[in-house]
Amino acid sequence: YGKFQKNCSLHFIRTAVVRELLLEAIRSVSKYAIENEKDFVKKVRETSAVQQKEAVKLLQSQLGRERKRYKELDSLIKKLYEEYALGKMPEKRYEMLSAEYEHEQAVLDENIAKAQSALDEYNTYTNNVEQFLLLTKRYTDFSEWTTPMINEFIEKILVHEADKSSGERVQEVEIYFKFIGKFEVPQPEPTAEELAEQEKIRKRRAKQREYWRRYETKHKQKLLQELMEQEKQNKQAEI
């Protein structure tokens, strides 16, 4: 995406086009979430390290084992030091075993932190999805704009700079929802008839752009010739 022009506060939304765009976005995402709840949950969790309940169970089991082992190592290190302090163990062996245990604890520390972070993220996503689904079920009518509805559903919108590189003016608007962030409803694959119609439109627009390009080139050449002729006449008049 290009640089955006505005990070729009909901208090400054005025244009009918943006309002209709927001209303349609709320309508389509809510409909999809209600009618395809499992797919909706899966799509919201796409960026999460843990996405399925089965993976959560395995992660919790792993976390339990690693925390248990970490405590065992604490006991071993304490016992090791006591034996060394009582002169029951040579210093060299104490240092070697102590270093091994401490290294294992450091690895466990890192693994535990990663696992806990993944579980926290999963729980956050789960809570956010539930909150959004509850929100969609509170509204039964998305046919018209209401300020409370927009404030409850929309976190922010980003309006990007207009892009004319394709020959047409295109301005992207990103919509971020409360709880789930930016979400795009999956679109069905276009049919052969739709693809054919899109190709016709593309060719027609390309033909129109080519026509206007030639027209502008011809018009510029004509103006240039007129200017040159006028300049020639002015020189002859001076003579």
Side-chain angles (χ1 to χ4, degrees):
Y1 301 121
K3 294 180 179 179
F4 59 83
Q5 290 178 312
K6 301 173 184 176
N7 184 340
C8 298
S9 166
L10 299 182
H11 297 292
F12 294 97
I13 297 171
R14 292 290 182 269
T15 68
V17 174
V18 175
R19 287 172 58 174
E20 184 58 34
L21 183 66
L22 291 175
L23 187 59
E24 177 56 31
I26 293 171
R27 186 186 298 121
S28 61
V29 172
S30 297
K31 184 174 184 292
Y32 177 79
I34 292 170
E35 295 179 358
N36 307 274
E37 187 170 324
K38 287 184 178 179
D39 289 336
F40 172 72
V41 172
K42 182 179 178 181
K43 189 166 178 61
V44 171
R45 287 182 181 149
E46 280 181 351
T47 58
S48 174
V50 182
Q51 299 178 19
Q52 303 296 330
K53 288 184 179 179
E54 292 75 13
V56 170
K57 290 178 182 178
L58 290 173
L59 201 56
Q60 288 173 333
S61 178
Q62 173 195 331
L63 200 54
R65 290 195 305 272
E66 289 178 338
R67 282 174 172 164
K68 182 180 179 181
R69 176 57 180 168
Y70 192 94
K71 289 181 179 179
E72 288 174 353
L73 288 168
D74 269 341
S75 297
L76 287 170
I77 291 171
K78 182 179 179 181
K79 185 177 180 182
L80 194 67
Y81 178 76
E82 288 175 350
E83 289 185 358
Y84 168 69
L86 292 172
K88 296 180 179 180
M89 180 180 294
E91 182 177 356
K92 188 173 181 180
R93 180 166 176 75
Y94 164 74
E95 289 178 351
M96 181 187 71
L97 290 174
S98 178
E100 286 180 3
Y101 291 157
E102 287 175 358
H103 174 71
E104 186 179 352
Q105 274 195 324
V107 173
L108 287 171
D109 255 335
E110 186 176 347
N111 291 344
I112 289 169
K114 287 180 179 178
Q116 188 60 58
S117 177
L119 286 174
D120 291 344
E121 185 180 59
Y122 176 87
N123 292 330
T124 298
Y125 273 102
T126 299
N127 181 63
N128 287 348
V129 168
E130 290 173 354
Q131 290 295 320
F132 187 83
L133 288 171
L134 286 174
L135 184 59
T136 62
K137 292 169 184 176
R138 280 171 46 195
Y139 286 88
T140 57
D141 183 16
F142 296 100
S143 61
E144 63 180 46
W145 167 288
T146 66
T147 300
M149 179 178 69
I150 297 300
N151 287 333
E152 285 195 83
F153 273 96
I154 304 299
E155 181 70 33
K156 65 179 178 180
I157 64 172
L158 303 181
V159 182
H160 292 260
E161 293 179 355
D163 180 9
K164 299 179 182 179
S165 60
S166 64
E168 298 177 15
R169 188 178 189 278
V170 178
Q171 189 162 19
E172 183 184 7
V173 177
E174 290 186 85
I175 300 173
Y176 289 79
F177 294 88
K178 295 282 182 67
F179 306 114
I180 62 172
K182 185 179 177 182
F183 185 92
E184 296 180 5
V185 175
Q187 298 299 315
E189 291 294 324
T191 63
E193 292 77 9
E194 289 172 335
L195 288 173
E197 182 61 26
Q198 289 173 9
E199 182 62 15
K200 284 181 182 178
I201 294 171
R202 187 192 67 78
K203 288 181 178 180
R204 184 166 64 248
R205 288 175 176 172
K207 188 175 180 180
Q208 289 173 344
R209 287 196 296 271
E210 180 62 18
Y211 169 81
W212 285 111
R213 187 189 67 79
R214 289 181 178 179
Y215 174 82
E216 288 178 357
T217 301
K218 186 177 179 180
H219 185 63
K220 287 178 181 178
Q221 288 175 345
K222 184 179 179 182
L223 286 174
L224 182 60
Q225 288 175 353
E226 290 176 353
L227 287 170
M228 291 175 68
E229 184 64 29
Q230 184 64 44
E231 186 177 353
K232 183 178 179 181
Q233 291 176 2
N234 290 340
K235 287 182 178 180
Q236 289 176 347
E238 289 175 1
I239 294 172

